[in-house]
Amino acid sequence: MVCSTGTGAVRVFFDAILHPHRSLGRGGFRMLMAVVVAMNIIIAGIFVANGAWPVVPFCGLDVLALWLAFRVSYRSARQYERVRLTDSALTVQRVHWKVPERRWSFHPYWLRVSHDERAEHDRRGFAAGHVMLSSHGQSVRVGSFLSPDERSAFALALGDALRAWRRPRCPAEPAG
């Protein structure tokens, strides 16, 4: 066992920031929009050449709809959850673009981490698994937007950090 003397600084046992996954980056989005716009220009040109010019404005509606969908998707990607375990508390901070920031604080000694991965899907189509942090009647679900493998890895890492926190501290060195 390695013991160190404290300098008064807060020890951090675990610090994770969880972000929802987005498979298409900004560069990919620009490329996709360029291809969609080019295809729409070609299709609009064909309609104009055949005398169906009133169809042209509708060719831009699908570009607009796709752009709006990605804008909403990228806005929701700004959400995150931060789970931090220090000497005195485990705190969960949830930041979402639609609602005010929320915080929960637990005493690590009493904290229970439960991880449940079920193959069922909820009514929105998401896997029903979760990581639940609970203590003294208060509980919070974290990482709901993570994949099942990511949730498992997160639960294991947090459990390891809690075990490290619960290990007895080194005895004070004798003066002399």
Side-chain angles (χ1 to χ4, degrees):
M1 179 193 301
V2 176
C3 295
S4 63
T5 57
T7 61
V10 175
R11 290 189 309 168
V12 176
F13 291 86
F14 186 82
D15 193 3
I17 299 176
L18 310 173
H19 290 276
H21 177 69
R22 292 296 180 255
S23 59
L24 188 64
R26 295 284 181 189
F29 168 71
R30 288 186 183 113
M31 180 64 79
L32 175 68
M33 289 303 291
V35 168
V36 170
V37 167
M39 295 285 291
N40 272 285
I41 289 172
I42 292 169
I43 291 170
I46 293 170
F47 277 111
V48 168
N50 289 319
W53 59 267
V55 175
V56 173
F58 295 102
C59 288
L61 286 179
D62 59 341
V63 174
L64 178 64
L66 185 64
W67 180 79
L68 287 173
F70 272 102
R71 182 177 169 116
V72 169
S73 175
Y74 285 127
R75 181 174 288 158
S76 71
R78 290 188 299 202
Q79 77 181 31
Y80 67 89
E81 294 175 345
R82 182 175 189 182
V83 180
R84 184 178 171 128
L85 174 61
T86 63
D87 283 327
S88 59
L90 181 129
T91 56
V92 176
Q93 173 189 16
R94 184 173 293 153
V95 176
H96 194 278
W97 65 279
K98 283 191 205 177
V99 294
E101 175 183 316
R102 296 199 55 197
R103 289 182 183 262
W104 295 266
S105 185
F106 300 94
H107 190 283
Y109 186 78
W110 304 108
L111 184 67
R112 188 174 61 122
V113 178
S114 59
H115 175 237
D116 180 24
E117 283 299 333
R118 291 177 272 150
E120 307 159 8
H121 292 278
D122 68 7
R123 59 185 159 84
R124 294 174 299 169
F126 297 112
H130 63 273
V131 176
M132 184 73 72
L133 308 177
S134 53
S135 175
H136 291 90
Q138 182 184 15
S139 61
V140 63
R141 183 180 290 191
V142 293
S144 60
F145 46 75
L146 298 176
S147 71
D149 291 338
E150 290 170 328
R151 277 193 297 267
S152 296
F154 171 76
L156 288 172
L158 181 57
D160 290 345
L162 279 169
R163 281 187 286 285
W165 183 91
R166 290 177 180 138
R167 270 190 225 118
R169 295 210 176 164
C170 297
E173 293 182 16

